[in-house]
Amino acid sequence: MAELMGPEIALLLPPLLPHLIRAIQQEECAELSADERARLLARLGPDVDGEDDDELEGLEGDGGDDDDDEDEDDDDDGGLPGVHTALLDEKAAAVHCVGACAAYGGAAFAPHIECVMGPLLGCADHFHSDVRGALARTLSHLLKACVAAEPAAPWAKGEAPSSAKLGTASRWLLQRSWRTLISTFTHDDDKDTVAAAA
């Protein structure tokens, strides 16, 4: 939709951005309590094939391999971690949507950059590469939108590159996102995420 509307997307940003920020900030990891495990097992029903499924041993809480050292360290009251993959996809899509609004909205998105930077940079060390890759692409689009609103001073042949030629908002954004991009280049092991940061 942002691609079709272009700068006119600015009209939709005030009602849209709070929903996107909420989606970016939500937790997709949860811990299953004993009650939730029992409810899940009840929904799954009895083991119809009669085989002892390894995937369900931890949920049932009645054993598993006794020779595993990790089983001895676990207490029975602790919950199992779970990842809500739909929320994970929603978070990656929300980060991408912010980037698309910035890319196609251009200068019209610039007034909203400051309110999205905090939640976006909170995703910098996210465990899933789709979210980190979307963030790297989005940071690029945000900088382009910022420069569109506040053009840099022209470069003259023979001059050394300098951030002083950038506008105040562009310099602020570059300073906030620079560490994230450098960290992606140096520490991220996902090649697509590193390529997105380029």
Side-chain angles (χ1 to χ4, degrees):
M1 187 160 71
E3 184 177 2
L4 293 173
M5 294 185 73
E8 293 174 9
I9 193 74
L11 300 172
L12 295 178
L13 291 176
L16 178 64
L17 284 178
H19 297 288
L20 293 175
I21 290 171
R22 212 170 307 123
I24 292 169
Q25 291 176 328
Q26 71 186 348
E27 282 296 320
E28 62 278 349
C29 294
E31 198 168 290
L32 297 177
S33 67
D35 293 338
E36 290 170 328
R37 281 191 305 228
R39 247 192 332 269
L40 178 62
L41 287 171
R43 261 192 278 157
L44 291 173
D47 190 9
V48 292
D49 61 4
E51 295 179 10
D52 190 19
D53 296 327
D54 291 336
E55 303 87 39
L56 299 178
E57 284 181 2
L59 292 174
E60 293 168 359
D62 64 352
D65 292 338
D66 290 333
D67 60 334
D68 192 2
D69 291 336
E70 291 180 29
D71 288 343
E72 293 172 9
D73 294 338
D74 292 341
D75 54 22
D76 292 334
D77 296 332
L80 295 173
V83 177
H84 299 284
T85 55
L87 296 179
L88 182 64
D89 293 341
E90 184 178 338
K91 181 178 281 202
V95 172
H96 171 77
C97 186
V98 169
C101 289
Y104 296 109
F109 191 85
H112 306 284
I113 290 175
E114 191 172 344
C115 74
V116 298
M117 279 305 289
L120 285 174
L121 291 178
C123 297
D125 59 350
H126 197 273
F127 69 91
H128 200 274
S129 61
D130 288 349
V131 175
R132 293 190 317 269
L135 173 64
R137 287 184 289 277
T138 295
L139 290 175
S140 168
H141 296 313
L142 289 175
L143 187 58
K144 290 175 189 173
C146 200
V147 170
E150 190 179 63
W155 175 76
K157 187 174 181 179
E159 280 184 334
S162 171
S163 65
K165 293 199 174 270
L166 295 174
T168 307
S170 300
R171 235 178 318 173
W172 174 84
L173 179 61
L174 191 58
Q175 288 171 348
R176 296 271 325 253
S177 59
W178 187 252
R179 279 187 225 111
T180 301
L181 293 173
I182 294 299
S183 175
T184 301
F185 284 130
T186 57
H187 301 302
D188 205 306
D189 57 355
D190 182 62
K191 63 181 169 102
D192 294 329
T193 303
V194 173

